[in-house]
Amino acid sequence: MAENTVKAASFDVKKLLKDNTMLLILVAVMVLFQILTGALFAPSNVNNIILQNSYVLVLAAGMLLCILTGGNIDLSVGSVVCLVGAIAGKLIVDAHLPIGISIVICLFIGTLIGAWHGAFIAYLHIPPFITTLSGMLLWRGVALIVLDGLTISPFPQKYLNLFSSYIPEVFFPALTTAALEEGPAAEAAAAKLASMTMTVTMITAIAICVIMIATSLISRKTKVSKGYAVEGAAPFFARLVIITFVVIAAAWKLGHHHGIPTVLILIAIVVAFYTYYTQNTVPGRYLYAIGGNAKAAKLSGVNTDNVMMFAYTNMGFLSAVAALVCVARFNSAAPTAGMSYEMDAIGSCFIGGASAYGGSGTIGGAVVGAIFMGVLNNGMSLMGVDSNWQQAVKGLVLLLAVIFDVVSKQRNKR
């Protein structure tokens, strides 16, 4: 039965295109901006796209879990980012507390805030929109009180190295320092550092591709052996080839700049963990079950309240992670931090294929959506498009993505 499914799926070109619509649009947009600007694929610009959208990728992973439960969202994430960033500034910069302890405290506070929202939503059954809207106002106000309207900066270099440096700089600090000096020795050090940067970057990229391919093959083989429906061999291997090519190409570009940013390792861990959690664990599948039919899931024995509690507690935790990334990127904790971050995360999920009604969506799709928004912002900036028009275009793209989802569901029902 599984083999028949594989053969049928391999010739379903229409389904293949439908399942990868956003990915194809992303590729087309990237090629278009490269033609128009000639700078989108420049090594420094590829690095900028990653750094500028690192917080979106982290927040989108958490937001997807909320959306899966029935189209619910969390409007407070931007304010939580601001508050946790403010606390990080107070602890690390003002109080000179050890960085490790400060990070643990910040993560705990973010998780506690998420649990606060989750308790009202899951056990008192207050609508998520109302609960998180109040949280958006509450935590922004608390952040302003903590900061007293002032910006805290700069953060110590040891902290910045965790989230805003590059892998070669972490492993070869002496060589990096020598390359910044003047004279023939500095030129030799710079040449050696460039060579080692490229080597480390490419080895890391190849290792990631090998792990990704092996994991995908093992997962597919397991599903086939259990009689589960899987996609056809042609699209499966085509996707692996395309992803491998993209990873190697991106690594080649980064290798010509400063190498792999440390924040990219964090993003990879977050994406890999939540992809596995949502696709390969029973609690992860509960999220889809609730979004598909909450009453049926509850009658089947799923504790829907606990699942909702987890989704919003987790969102608070990832908001704290995003806050730590943001203060390192800007080297400051500011009262205006986190503005509209919730909209970026929500937009990434919907553009990446998450249903506005819940029950469907993937972490991979949210990543594609986040990259699409990042490329859109970056490409329009390279073209000199006014920021007001950029906002208008992003709003239109989000609306079109939701319309596409709604129309597709209506067609399926008919």
Side-chain angles (χ1 to χ4, degrees):
M1 183 66 182
E3 292 299 324
N4 292 336
T5 304
V6 171
K7 291 180 180 179
S10 63
F11 294 99
D12 195 349
V13 178
K14 184 177 180 180
K15 184 178 184 302
L16 178 64
L17 294 175
K18 182 181 177 181
D19 292 343
N20 296 277
T21 300
M22 201 61 237
L23 186 59
L24 296 174
I25 293 175
L26 172 61
V27 172
V29 169
M30 293 176 72
V31 172
L32 177 62
F33 278 131
Q34 175 63 23
I35 294 173
L36 295 175
T37 66
L40 186 73
F41 294 147
S44 60
N45 196 58
V46 172
N47 178 74
N48 286 337
I49 292 175
I50 293 172
L51 296 181
Q52 290 170 1
N53 296 279
S54 54
Y55 75 90
V56 183
L57 290 163
V58 174
L59 292 176
M63 190 65 72
L64 179 69
L65 269 60
C66 297
I67 292 173
L68 289 177
T69 60
N72 301 308
I73 56 176
D74 190 336
L75 295 174
S76 69
V77 295
S79 298
V80 176
V81 167
C82 183
L83 175 57
V84 174
I87 293 172
K90 285 291 184 180
L91 295 176
I92 298 173
V93 179
D94 292 350
H96 303 289
L97 210 62
I99 293 174
I101 295 176
S102 300
I103 290 175
V104 171
I105 292 174
C106 289
L107 294 176
F108 176 75
I109 290 174
T111 306
L112 199 62
I113 292 173
W116 167 275
H117 295 153
F120 286 110
I121 294 168
Y123 303 122
L124 295 182
H125 303 290
I126 297 175
F129 182 89
I130 300 300
T131 302
T132 57
L133 177 61
S134 68
M136 180 176 69
L137 302 174
L138 171 62
W139 306 124
R140 177 69 62 176
V142 175
L144 294 176
I145 293 171
V146 171
L147 292 172
D148 196 22
L150 302 175
T151 297
I152 299 177
S153 66
F155 280 73
Q157 190 60 44
K158 287 185 178 179
Y159 176 79
L160 299 180
N161 287 341
L162 294 175
F163 301 104
S164 62
S165 63
Y166 300 87
I167 297 300
E169 294 177 1
V170 174
F171 288 99
F172 314 113
L175 194 60
T176 303
T177 303
L180 296 175
E181 298 176 356
E182 297 181 357
E187 294 179 2
K192 185 177 181 180
L193 179 62
S195 175
M196 295 181 73
T197 296
M198 178 60 75
T199 302
V200 170
T201 303
M202 295 309 297
I203 289 176
T204 304
I206 292 171
I208 291 172
C209 291
V210 170
I211 294 172
M212 182 268 297
I213 292 172
T215 303
S216 299
L217 290 174
I218 292 172
S219 177
R220 178 183 172 82
K221 184 177 180 181
T222 302
K223 289 179 180 179
V224 170
S225 65
K226 293 181 178 180
Y228 295 154
V230 296
E231 66 179 334
F236 173 77
F237 287 107
R239 183 180 291 109
L240 289 182
V241 171
I242 292 172
I243 294 175
T244 301
F245 173 78
V246 170
V247 171
I248 297 297
W252 180 260
K253 290 290 184 179
L254 292 173
H256 283 89
H257 189 57
H258 291 291
I260 298 175
T262 51
V263 72
L264 190 59
I265 303 299
L266 172 64
I267 292 171
I269 293 172
V270 169
V271 171
F273 174 80
Y274 284 96
T275 297
Y276 180 83
Y277 179 82
T278 54
Q279 300 297 320
N280 298 94
T281 67
V282 174
R285 302 310 296 178
Y286 285 166
L287 295 163
Y288 290 91
I290 293 175
N293 191 322
K295 291 183 179 179
K298 191 170 186 178
L299 292 172
S300 300
V302 177
N303 191 324
T304 56
D305 290 346
N306 287 349
V307 175
M308 291 292 289
M309 179 69 179
F310 167 78
Y312 281 89
T313 303
N314 175 75
M315 187 71 256
F317 169 76
L318 288 180
S319 296
V321 174
L324 296 173
V325 171
C326 287
V327 294
R329 169 160 157 52
F330 298 114
N331 196 16
S332 65
T336 57
M339 296 295 289
S340 299
Y341 280 15
E342 59 276 353
M343 298 305 157
D344 291 334
I346 295 168
S348 298
C349 293
F350 287 140
I351 291 173
S355 172
Y357 303 106
S360 66
T362 62
I363 296 295
V367 170
V368 171
I371 295 174
F372 180 85
M373 293 188 68
V375 169
L376 201 61
N377 283 331
N378 187 267
M380 288 190 292
S381 297
L382 291 175
M383 292 177 63
V385 178
D386 184 76
S387 60
N388 296 325
W389 280 103
Q390 290 187 30
Q391 291 292 331
V393 171
K394 287 166 61 177
L396 182 61
V397 169
L398 176 58
L399 178 61
L400 292 175
V402 175
I403 290 174
F404 178 79
D405 171 61
V406 173
V407 172
S408 297
K409 286 188 176 298
Q410 289 176 347
R411 286 181 177 177
N412 291 336
K413 287 181 180 179
R414 288 198 297 266

